[in-house]
Amino acid sequence: MRVVILGSGRGSNAEAILLAQQAGGLGAAQVVQILSDQPDAGILALGARFGVPAAFVDPAPFRTKLEGPGEDRFIEAIQAARADLIVLAGFMRVVKPRFLGVFAGRVINLHPSLLPAFPGLDGIGQAFRAGVKATGCTVHHVTREVDAGKIIEQASVPVEPEDTLETLTAKVHAAEHRLLPAVIARLSRLPQ
Ligand code: GAR
């Protein structure tokens, strides 16, 4: 199963996936390409470290969505990599129907809350401020409705009275780093 990872930030989840792959823990999945919409994103530096092609793809003209010429460029790059699975790991841009049509059923996203609670931006901060007793992270299929696609798997993180936003953030990230590689490994073992 050929995996393409899309991310906009530091890439700690992409790193977790690549470390799992190095350790033989990614099932039949293999990361074949990393793509970012941010030219200076930390995620791009993982390419050289893990021997995986990594590239910035110009997402213009929009700032928060992938549509039009930028969408075409991403579609082309993903098709060139012959992706079976597209993993959005901190890709901070809304993907649109054309993209989802081309890669129907093959796009998954990681979100830092127990969806359907706290969709959108800053899932961890939203949960912390709401005072919930548990939050976590979700891997789900990507559909037209943001953060509303079918849930594949979730990991729960208890919120302790002494937690600060910082400690809770670290716990949710640690849960993400376990969950996402495990889900990819599991998907790779399903008949395609
Ligand atoms: C992760 O916490 C991921 O859940 C979140 O961005 C972070 C990326 O971190 N994604 C979203 O909020 C998507 N709505 P990373 O770049 O270190 O993997």
Side-chain angles (χ1 to χ4, degrees):
M1 190 178 74
R2 297 172 66 84
V3 176
V4 173
I5 303 176
L6 269 55
S8 307
R10 64 193 180 119
S12 69
N13 286 284
E15 181 185 30
I17 294 166
L18 289 160
L19 286 171
Q21 176 171 304
Q22 238 176 22
L26 209 57
Q30 190 198 356
V31 180
V32 295
Q33 178 79 63
I34 299 166
L35 298 174
S36 181
D37 60 337
Q38 301 295 329
D40 303 321
I43 192 170
L44 290 175
L46 296 170
R49 193 172 134 206
F50 288 93
V52 174
F56 162 70
V57 178
D58 185 357
F62 300 105
R63 202 170 54 81
T64 59
K65 63 179 177 180
L66 193 62
E67 202 168 28
E71 182 181 42
D72 290 340
R73 285 187 284 269
F74 267 87
I75 290 172
E76 240 171 66
I78 294 166
Q79 285 177 330
R82 292 182 287 121
D84 300 306
L85 182 72
I86 298 129
V87 178
L88 308 186
F91 189 61
M92 304 310 278
R93 203 170 266 278
V94 176
V95 292
K96 302 304 260 182
R98 193 171 118 65
F99 182 99
L100 292 172
V102 173
F103 304 115
R106 288 189 278 155
V107 188
I108 65 172
N109 180 49
L110 172 68
H111 183 79
S113 77
L114 292 176
L115 290 173
F118 311 119
L121 292 176
D122 191 21
I124 304 174
Q126 289 187 59
F128 183 73
R129 287 187 292 276
V132 293
K133 299 292 176 208
T135 184
C137 51
T138 302
V139 180
H140 64 93
H141 289 284
V142 178
T143 54
R144 286 160 186 236
E145 290 73 44
V146 175
D147 296 334
K150 189 166 184 284
I151 291 170
I152 301 171
E153 217 162 301
Q154 296 183 307
S156 167
V157 172
V159 185
E160 309 293 349
E162 63 273 17
D163 269 325
T164 61
L165 179 58
E166 287 66 36
T167 60
L168 183 61
T169 298
K171 288 178 190 176
V172 172
H173 284 161
E176 290 186 320
H177 298 161
R178 288 188 297 271
L179 181 70
L180 187 55
V183 168
I184 294 170
R186 190 165 66 73
L187 292 177
S188 80
R189 294 190 196 100
L190 300 176
Q192 284 181 37

